């Protein structure tokens, strides 16, 4: 496996990426100090087999491993399931040396990570991501938390994992649509930080879509490297640097919140959002039309939408979108702050896009 360091001083950790050989995970955990007293594997019920395989690989005596399953879906990122986890941790007698192992996509990583952050004032946890989105994004950076019925991700904390274990073999059962959704975040990294990576994606699109191991390892490795760099520069999201990871997300979150969660996958909404942000940047002559075309061609090659489909247009009028966007947490003092590209590989926070221009951009994205 390949490894990447996330340099955060005493909270530093390693991300392992590739096809894991038997015994490798146990070896990595074997170096933890102090040695974990027991492991609690919290997993998405959909990936039971992966969770069982992972549990065997931890290198613990079977009596020191507990398994807790959580139903698949965003609804599990709730106070109800957090309480369910806390009660199980109590029942299993998990002390401060216990370690949580989160096996699943971003939902499980966020929920189990937050359980780790809050149990006994914080215990260690390991991310074993099983979706592409979790491998390239949510498992790295330490954002953990749950939703309120009215608002996503409003309860949470920064709590870094002790290890991220991205075993490509665990993606084998991931549905195509989920896989493609994860690719939206991958394209995002190319646009915001790395023109060379963007070119790699263009040149290897077929191998990536075919889930070729070496192409996937490279995609995840470079994505994690870029995310780790941004997180190391702004761990607590205080300098504004980390906000560049939200490219396409102000539009994307508005689309998600107006279409009922689940209609579009997160990456699909972000893909339309990147097309909107890119279009707005072109209107402001911040970057050329051909760069916007290049971005959108790659998104479309990955099977991602760059227009608002007819079926959801009635929920996404320009006025509703703008209203939802004004609620975005990046907006200070009622001003619309957007991350817009200067060129492929570089973005900037911009606050001078007029509402009128934003409205034109949204209208432009209504598919005929
Ligand atoms: N913490 C962060 O920094 C961060 C960043 C981005 C997103 N997120 C959060 O991540 C969540 C989205 O993550 P996600 O896209 O991974 O969604 P998810 O966890 O809901 O997984 C998507 C679907 O794939 C299924 N699945 C997972 N692994 C599978 C596998 N190997 N085979 C077959 N099915 C599998 C799940 O059961 C689910 O139905 C959101 O809650 C979002 O808020 C967090
Ligand atoms: Zn995202």
């Amino acid at each position: 496996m390949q490894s990447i360091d996330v340099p955060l001083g005493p909270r530093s950790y390693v991300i392992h990426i590739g096809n894991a050989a038997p015994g490798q995970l146990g070896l990595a955990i074997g170096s933890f100090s102090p040695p974990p007293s027991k492991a609690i594997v919290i997993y998405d019920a959909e990936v039971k087999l992966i969770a069982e395989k992972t549990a065997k690989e931890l290198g613990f005596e079977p009596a020191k491993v507990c398994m807790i399953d959580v139903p698949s879906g965003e609804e599990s990122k709730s106070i109800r399931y957090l309480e369910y986890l806390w009660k199980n941790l109590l029942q299993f007698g998990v002390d401060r040396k216990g370690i949580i192992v989160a096996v699943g996509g971003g939902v499980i990583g966020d929920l189990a990570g937050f359980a780790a952050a809050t149990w006994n004032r914080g215990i260690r946890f390991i991310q074993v991501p099983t979706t592409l989105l979790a491998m390239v994004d949510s498992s790295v950076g330490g954002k953990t938390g749950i939703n309120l019925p009215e608002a996503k991700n409003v309860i949470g904390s920064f709590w870094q994992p002790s290890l991220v274990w991205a075993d490509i073999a665990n993606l084998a059962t991931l549905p195509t649509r989920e896989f493609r959704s994860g690719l939206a975040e991958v394209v995002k990294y190319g646009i915001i930080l790395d023109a060379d990576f963007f070119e790699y994606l263009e040149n290897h699109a077929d191998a990536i879509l075919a889930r070729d191991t070496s192409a996937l390892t490279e995609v995840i490795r470079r994505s994690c490297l870029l995310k780790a760099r941004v997180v190391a520069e702004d761990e607590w999201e205080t300098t504004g640097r980390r906000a560049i990871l939200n490219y396409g997300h102000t539009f994307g979150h508005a689309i998600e919140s107006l279409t009922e969660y689940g209609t579009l996958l997160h990456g699909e909404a972000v893909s339309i959002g990147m097309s909107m942000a890119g279009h707005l940047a072109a209107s402001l002559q911040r970057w050329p039309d051909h760069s916007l075309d290049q971005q959108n061609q790659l998104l479309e090659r990955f099977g991602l939408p760059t227009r608002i489909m007819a079926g959801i247009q009635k929920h996404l009028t320009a006025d509703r979108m703008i209203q939802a966007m004004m609620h975005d947490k990046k907006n200070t003092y009622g001003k619309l702050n957007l991350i817009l590209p200067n060129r492929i590989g570089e973005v900037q926070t911009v606050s001078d896009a007029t509402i009128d221009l934003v409205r034109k951009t949204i209208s432009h994205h209504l598919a005929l």
Side-chain angles (χ1 to χ4, degrees), residues 242-257:
R242 203 161 163 161
I244 66 167
L245 298 170
N246 273 326
Y247 174 56
H249 282 61
T250 304
F251 289 103
H253 286 150
I255 295 170
E256 282 184 292
S257 70

Side-chain angles (χ1 to χ4, degrees), residues 336-365:
L336 201 52
N337 291 327
L338 292 165
I339 313 293
L340 300 184
N342 298 332
R343 56 183 173 80
I344 292 177
E346 188 187 293
V347 287
Q348 197 185 324
T349 304
V350 173
S351 56
D352 59 0
T354 63
I355 297 293
D356 194 42
L357 210 51
V358 174
R359 183 176 280 115
K360 281 196 181 119
T361 287
I362 295 165
S363 302
H364 174 85
H365 280 79

Side-chain angles (χ1 to χ4, degrees), residues 192-212:
I192 65 173
L193 285 165
D194 192 340
D196 184 63
F197 182 43
F198 186 88
E199 200 180 319
Y200 175 88
L201 297 172
E202 289 182 313
N203 293 337
H204 296 81
D206 291 337
I208 294 165
L209 285 168
R211 306 195 196 185
D212 170 82

Side-chain angles (χ1 to χ4, degrees), residues 108-180:
I108 294 297
D110 283 12
L111 173 70
F114 192 50
T118 48
W119 185 250
N120 261 319
R121 296 183 184 80
I123 62 170
R124 290 168 292 179
F125 85 114
I126 296 174
Q127 291 271 22
V128 182
T130 64
T131 64
L132 182 60
L133 181 128
M135 289 191 189
V136 299
D137 188 358
S138 63
S139 67
V140 178
K143 281 193 183 178
T144 68
I146 58 170
N147 304 323
L148 279 181
E150 302 83 2
K152 253 183 77 104
N153 293 328
V154 284
I155 301 155
S157 73
F158 288 99
W159 190 249
Q160 300 294 342
S162 300
L163 174 72
V164 179
W165 194 256
D167 186 343
I168 306 283
N170 291 340
L171 292 177
T173 52
L174 189 69
T176 304
R177 197 173 158 203
E178 293 289 350
F179 180 78
R180 293 181 168 194

Side-chain angles (χ1 to χ4, degrees), residues 42-356:
I42 298 175
Y43 67 98
D44 182 321
E46 283 292 312
V47 297
K48 187 164 194 265
L49 294 179
I50 299 174
E52 286 170 352
K53 182 189 76 180
T54 306
K56 287 198 191 105
E57 283 290 319
L58 296 173
F60 286 61
E61 292 166 35
K64 291 191 171 169
V65 180
C66 319
M67 307 286 291
I68 310 175
D69 67 320
V70 173
S72 156
E74 188 70 30
E75 298 73 35
S76 291
K77 255 175 72 174
S78 61
I79 187 71
R80 177 168 165 227
Y81 279 97
L82 184 64
E83 186 181 13
Y84 163 77
L85 294 182
W86 284 335
K87 288 190 168 160
N88 272 281
L89 294 174
L90 184 68
Q91 200 190 334
F92 290 136
V94 178
D95 62 16
R96 294 209 25 86
K97 286 188 189 148
I99 193 160
I100 286 177
V101 182
V103 183
V107 164
I108 294 297
D110 283 12
L111 173 70
F114 192 50
T118 48
W119 185 250
N120 261 319
R121 296 183 184 80
I123 62 170
R124 290 168 292 179
F125 85 114
I126 296 174
Q127 291 271 22
V128 182
T130 64
T131 64
L132 182 60
L133 181 128
M135 289 191 189
V136 299
D137 188 358
S138 63
S139 67
V140 178
K143 281 193 183 178
T144 68
I146 58 170
N147 304 323
L148 279 181
E150 302 83 2
K152 253 183 77 104
N153 293 328
V154 284
I155 301 155
S157 73
F158 288 99
W159 190 249
Q160 300 294 342
S162 300
L163 174 72
V164 179
W165 194 256
D167 186 343
I168 306 283
N170 291 340
L171 292 177
T173 52
L174 189 69
T176 304
R177 197 173 158 203
E178 293 289 350
F179 180 78
R180 293 181 168 194
S181 174
L183 287 175
E185 304 285 358
V186 171
V187 173
K188 177 191 80 178
Y189 291 121
I191 298 287
I192 65 173
L193 285 165
D194 192 340
D196 184 63
F197 182 43
F198 186 88
E199 200 180 319
Y200 175 88
L201 297 172
E202 289 182 313
N203 293 337
H204 296 81
D206 291 337
I208 294 165
L209 285 168
R211 306 195 196 185
D212 170 82
T213 300
S214 68
L216 271 191
T217 304
E218 184 64 2
V219 162
I220 297 164
R221 187 186 72 80
R222 291 180 77 163
S223 298
C224 286
L225 208 56
L226 293 168
K227 176 144 186 191
R229 205 168 81 199
V230 175
V231 168
E233 285 165 9
D234 184 16
E235 182 181 2
W236 312 101
E237 210 166 58
T238 47
T239 69
R241 180 68 178 150
R242 203 161 163 161
I244 66 167
L245 298 170
N246 273 326
Y247 174 56
H249 282 61
T250 304
F251 289 103
H253 286 150
I255 295 170
E256 282 184 292
S257 70
L258 292 172
T259 51
E260 293 211 349
Y261 286 101
T263 313
L264 286 178
L265 297 180
H266 175 70
E268 294 168 343
V270 167
S271 176
I272 299 171
M274 286 195 284
S275 179
M276 288 180 173
H279 182 270
L280 188 62
S283 308
L284 289 165
Q285 286 167 355
R286 300 187 65 88
W287 78 338
D289 285 343
H290 68 81
S291 296
L292 169 63
D293 292 344
Q294 226 180 321
Q295 168 192 272
N296 287 6
Q297 274 161 18
L298 184 58
L299 290 169
E300 284 161 20
R301 195 140 166 232
F302 284 152
L304 289 160
T306 53
R307 288 277 182 278
I308 301 173
M309 311 78 166
I312 54 171
Q313 284 181 9
K314 63 174 187 297
H315 304 290
L316 297 175
T317 61
D319 284 339
R320 280 192 191 182
M321 281 281 293
I322 287 166
Q323 201 184 10
M325 287 167 72
M326 295 303 280
H327 286 138
D328 192 271
K329 62 179 180 236
K330 283 191 300 303
N331 296 317
T332 39
Y333 314 114
K335 257 169 110 188
L336 201 52
N337 291 327
L338 292 165
I339 313 293
L340 300 184
N342 298 332
R343 56 183 173 80
I344 292 177
E346 188 187 293
V347 287
Q348 197 185 324
T349 304
V350 173
S351 56
D352 59 0
T354 63
I355 297 293
D356 194 42

